[in-house]
Each structure stands twice: as structure tokens, then as C-alpha cells.
């Protein structure tokens, strides 16, 4: 009797995975007050997306959440970073364009509007109001650049902190996006002092990896933040019991 065929699968290295998360940004009927309070009803109605450890894509020891929204003038972002008591919290600088701002607890925002690939705009923000913004025409080609009209506020509590940001589309050189359109983005955090690297869209290591950026979708309403886009590859052959290919 003929034995059933077998399937031989080969494990795919994680570096070949191309899965990218999608962050749903609902349109705001009323602009939020940028004061660092992300417990207000406006933000609570939007499901948060979680960061993962940047090199292994596992759950981090110090979680971070991000939410997004938009209106005809601004992109709104809200972050919540968790700590293990005040002993793990490090305050950065409040000065504009001071690199010391990223030596404390902060979040990196990478935005690549449609047509800007492989470049992007990067914003480093912290809960005490520090902002460092730069333009990258391509990886490793940083230019000094200052966005105009950016509003930022944060709050610090014993076991967590929050950051709220409003970024005008005009300062990004963009018209208000069409509903349903998508940009490439990523959000990253280096926890201080433990140096745990996390990001929303897994990069495999560092942060400035545009090909690993996820997708920000400008939607009408909030949706699930678990949506994934992209593809992965499974290689293998189907064989007879004697080893012959089917």
C-alpha cells in the first residue's frame, strides 16, 4: 500500500520576516488638549499598540504604549512608558535640540510621509518637554532641521510617564492626508538606565531602519491595533515516504 506523503519544512530565519504592524489613527472630531494627560476620554477610546524588544521581538521588561489620531491640521501621538518605581526613571533635558534629552527616558518618533522614502523625519521627545528634531534624506545622512508649531507635554508618575505630541502636517511639508492613506512610521524607546531597546515595529536591532517601519493608517474610526501587513516565507518540499518528491 502506498504510504502517505510527508511534508518537510525548513525553519525560516527571523531576519527574513517582513511582517509590519499597522497603527490605526482615527480622525478626531475635536482636537485633544496637549497637556500630557492621556487618561482623558479622547485617548481612552483609542486602543493602544505595544512596543516589543527591538532585536528579538519579545515582550519587554519595561512596556511602552502608543496611540495616534489626526485632524485636518495635526498628527496627534500619545505615549505611555512604564517604570519599576522612581529608581528606574531618568529625567532628560528640557532644552530644544539638546542631545542630552535622549540620555534620559524618551521616545523616538520616525515619520516617513508618502514619497519621502528612503528618508524620514525623526523626533526625540521626553516627558519634561524636551524635543530634538532632525531630517534624514537617507540612513546616516542627518541634517539639522527644526519643525515649526510642534506642541509637546508630558506627565511623570511613580511607576509610569506619558507624552502627548501634536505635529502639524504643514511642518512636515505635507497636505492633510486623505482618509485611508498610509505613511510609514516607527516609534522607539531606550529605557534608561537599563538600556533596554524597544520599538513598535520590530527592527532586528537598531532604530533607524526605514525598511522595517510599520504603517500608520489615517482612518475615520479607531480599529484593532493587532493588524499586520506584509509577508513571510516558508520553504519546503512535499515528499513520498521513500524521499521522492511528490
Amino acid at each position: 500500500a502506498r504510504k502517505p506523503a510527508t511534508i518537510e519544512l525548513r525553519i525560516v530565519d527571523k531576519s527574513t520576516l517582513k511582517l509590519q504592524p499597522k497603527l490605526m489613527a482615527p480622525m478626531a472630531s475635536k482636537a485633544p488638549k496637549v497637556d500630557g494627560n492621556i487618561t482623558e476620554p479622547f485617548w481612552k477610546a483609542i486602543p493602544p499598540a505595544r512596543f516589543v524588544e527591538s532585536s528579538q521581538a519579545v515582550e519587554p521588561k519595561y512596556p511602552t504604549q502608543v496611540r495616534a489620531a489626526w485632524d485636518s491640521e495635526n498628527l496627534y501621538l500619545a505615549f505611555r512608558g512604564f517604570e519599576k518605581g522612581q529608581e528606574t526613571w531618568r529625567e532628560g533635558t528640557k532644552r530644544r535640540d539638546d542631545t542630552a534629552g535622549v540620555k534620559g527616558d524618551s521616545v523616538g518618533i520616525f515619520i516617513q510621509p508618502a514619497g519621502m522614502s528612503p528618508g524620514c523625519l525623526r523626533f526625540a521627545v521626553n516627558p519634561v518637554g524636551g524635543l530634538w528634531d532632525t531630517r534624514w534624506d537617507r540612513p546616516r545622512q542627518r541634517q539639522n532641521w527644526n519643525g515649526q508649531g510642534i506642541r509637546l507635554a508630558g506627565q511623570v508618575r511613580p511607576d509610569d510617564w506619558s507624552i502627548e505630541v501634536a505635529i502639524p502636517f504643514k511642518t512636515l511639508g505635507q497636505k492633510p492626508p486623505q482618509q485611508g492613506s498610509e505613511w510609514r512610521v516607527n516609534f522607539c524607546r531606550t529605557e534608561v538606565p537599563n538600556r533596554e531597546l524597544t520599538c513598535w515595529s520590530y527592527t532586528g536591532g537598531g532604530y533607524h531602519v526605514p525598511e522595517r517601519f510599520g504603517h500608520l493608517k489615517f482612518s475615520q474610526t479607531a480599529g484593532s491595533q493587532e493588524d499586520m501587513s506584509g509577508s513571510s516565507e516558508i520553504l519546503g518540499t512535499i515528499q513520498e515516504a521513500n524521499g521522492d518528491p511528490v
Side-chain angles (χ1 to χ4, degrees):
R2 182 175 179 177
K3 295 182 179 180
T6 60
I7 299 177
E8 179 185 6
L9 298 177
R10 188 176 70 192
I11 296 175
V12 179
D13 187 90
K14 183 165 52 182
S15 64
T16 66
L17 291 176
K18 300 178 182 179
L19 292 175
Q20 296 157 343
K22 181 176 292 186
L23 182 65
M24 306 296 288
M27 175 174 277
S29 58
K30 181 180 179 181
K33 182 180 180 180
V34 181
D35 57 4
N37 177 19
I38 63 172
T39 63
E40 59 188 357
F42 175 88
W43 288 117
K44 291 184 73 173
I46 302 174
R50 300 176 297 173
F51 286 25
V52 297
E53 197 274 331
S54 66
S55 62
Q56 300 294 325
V58 297
E59 289 293 324
K61 295 179 181 178
Y62 298 88
T64 309
Q65 298 175 344
V66 59
R67 293 174 169 92
W70 66 293
D71 59 18
S72 61
E73 297 184 357
N74 299 291
L75 170 64
Y76 301 100
L77 298 169
F79 301 93
R80 185 181 183 188
F82 292 87
E83 301 285 347
K84 297 184 185 299
Q86 284 293 304
E87 64 272 12
T88 66
W89 154 253
R90 295 294 184 274
E91 181 174 324
T93 181
K94 300 178 181 179
R95 294 186 296 271
R96 179 75 179 262
D97 292 333
D98 188 339
T99 58
V102 297
K103 294 181 179 179
D105 282 293
S106 61
V107 171
I109 302 167
F110 296 82
I111 300 177
Q112 186 185 78
M116 193 177 180
S117 178
C120 69
L121 298 165
R122 178 184 179 183
F123 305 83
V125 296
N126 65 30
V128 296
L131 169 64
W132 179 30
D133 44 355
T134 53
R135 178 187 177 97
W136 300 71
D137 289 329
R138 62 182 60 252
R140 300 186 180 87
Q141 289 190 7
R142 187 181 74 197
Q143 296 184 19
N144 292 329
W145 174 82
N146 278 335
Q148 302 299 313
I150 299 170
R151 288 176 288 142
L152 162 68
Q155 295 184 3
V156 180
R157 294 167 290 273
D159 293 306
D160 71 297
W161 45 263
S162 57
I163 305 174
E164 198 171 5
V165 189
I167 304 175
F169 293 119
K170 184 176 180 180
T171 202
L172 301 176
Q174 300 290 316
K175 295 180 180 179
Q178 296 292 319
Q179 183 179 322
S181 62
E182 296 184 5
W183 289 1
R184 301 293 299 277
V185 299
N186 206 359
F187 312 106
C188 307
R189 173 191 178 189
T190 300
E191 198 283 324
V192 181
N194 296 290
R195 306 296 297 176
E196 180 185 54
L197 277 60
T198 57
C199 52
W200 166 65
S201 181
Y202 161 74
T203 64
Y207 295 153
H208 201 115
V209 189
E211 62 270 22
R212 294 284 191 177
F213 287 2
H215 297 259
L216 173 69
K217 184 171 183 177
F218 297 95
S219 62
Q220 181 65 35
T221 58
S224 169
Q225 306 297 9
E226 301 301 323
D227 294 338
M228 303 290 283
S229 64
S231 63
S232 60
E233 184 179 21
I234 298 178
L235 303 176
T237 58
I238 300 178
Q239 298 179 333
E240 298 280 12
N242 63 3
D244 293 335
V246 172

